[in-house]
Amino acid sequence: MSANELFEQIAEEIYQQGYSVLSHALPEPLCQALAVEVRALPKDRFSRAGIGRQDAHIKAETIRRDEICWIDNSTEPGREWLAWTGELQQAINRRLFLGLFSFESHYAHYQAGDFYKVHRDAFRGQQNRVLTVVAYLNPDWRIEDGGELLVYPDEGNEPLLQVLPEFGTLVVFLSEEFPHEVLPAQADRYSIAGWYRINSGNSHRVDPDS
Ligand code: OGA
Ligand code: MN
């Protein structure tokens, strides 16, 4: 499948059902470069993830245990990843008119025992995160390693999706629509989580004045 066909398929599935899960979606050389980079990062580049509110550190640790490192243009794998997610952004905007405007993403490392309890990546009406992208960087992941991503319908307790964090698998979904969680991993689990935002212009004034 060409990159364009892949992006078309993701856009079509987002349009039809609000999510898309594809294995072997990330180009192999890109996935390989990211998988190598995340394992080579010095430990002090990672920090305990927060939960986006003023809650105490202790509270956050009951909700999520992973450590994260934001991705930028300062390394070749980072540049390639941002170029690729930029093309995906364009393809989705062409097909769905979502008006995706900016993108931010981080590596996440879950050690054995780490999890991320049920949460949403955005809340209705806040117009912050519109579309979530998750990519997995784990060659030879086994079922007994756990760490599945469970994605739930807007309302309801039966998961719509149960995804193993296998090398090259890509998950894309509307950030406001789908609660989701990461079950405890039993081995080192590496992923990238990223979010497209629209230009809401409330934090930095980026909308043209009119
Ligand atoms: C997140 C998230 C899922 C995963 O970081 O918000 O839901 O599978 N990550 O790593
Ligand atoms: Mn999430």
Side-chain angles (χ1 to χ4, degrees):
M1 206 192 296
S2 73
N4 270 334
E5 286 167 342
L6 176 74
F7 297 150
E8 276 300 311
Q9 183 172 344
I10 294 169
E12 183 61 24
E13 291 181 4
I14 298 295
Y15 180 72
Q16 296 291 341
Q17 58 193 17
Y19 61 83
S20 173
V21 184
L22 296 168
S23 45
H24 310 291
L26 207 59
E28 207 333 294
L30 173 57
C31 196
Q32 186 62 36
L34 295 165
V36 168
E37 174 165 270
V38 70
R39 286 167 177 79
L41 285 170
K43 249 198 124 353
D44 65 7
R45 293 287 307 282
F46 284 90
S47 50
R48 212 29 113 180
I51 50 172
R53 285 171 231 143
Q54 298 87 345
D55 307 50
H57 201 60
I58 299 193
K59 172 91 186 304
E61 290 207 348
T62 66
I63 295 172
R64 67 185 298 187
R65 290 278 172 85
D66 57 321
E67 293 195 306
I68 63 166
C69 174
W70 291 94
I71 300 177
D72 62 26
N73 268 317
S74 65
T75 67
E76 188 57 34
R79 281 191 289 278
E80 284 174 34
W81 163 251
L82 294 173
W84 193 80
T85 53
E87 285 175 37
L88 175 59
Q89 172 177 329
Q90 282 185 27
I92 289 177
N93 280 341
R94 274 198 300 271
R95 176 73 178 74
L96 299 185
F97 307 107
L98 274 182
L100 306 179
F101 180 78
S102 64
F103 182 71
E104 58 183 348
S105 59
H106 61 58
Y107 289 117
H109 176 206
Y110 293 72
Q111 292 177 259
D114 289 351
F115 55 80
Y116 193 165
K117 296 256 172 81
V118 180
H119 65 281
R120 292 179 199 250
D121 287 345
F123 292 92
R124 288 228 163 73
Q126 290 190 354
Q127 296 198 326
N128 39 13
R129 292 168 167 180
V130 174
L131 194 69
T132 299
V133 177
V134 186
Y136 296 111
L137 309 175
N138 308 291
D140 309 317
W141 193 260
R142 305 165 308 166
I143 294 186
E144 54 270 35
D145 295 330
E148 292 97 339
L149 171 71
L150 303 189
V151 179
Y152 297 92
D154 195 12
E155 292 175 31
N157 300 323
E158 281 305 309
L160 284 170
L161 301 171
Q162 180 149 357
V163 184
L164 284 172
E166 288 173 325
F167 189 81
T169 296
L170 191 76
V171 182
V172 185
F173 57 89
L174 294 171
S175 305
E176 291 181 357
E177 303 290 329
F178 300 98
H180 53 282
E181 70 177 315
V182 178
L183 297 183
Q186 311 299 335
D188 286 301
R189 176 194 193 271
Y190 295 95
S191 60
I192 295 176
W195 300 273
Y196 294 102
R197 293 176 188 271
I198 56 171
N199 180 3
S200 62
N202 44 25
S203 52
H204 315 280
R205 188 78 210 160
V206 282
D207 285 317
D209 287 319
S210 59

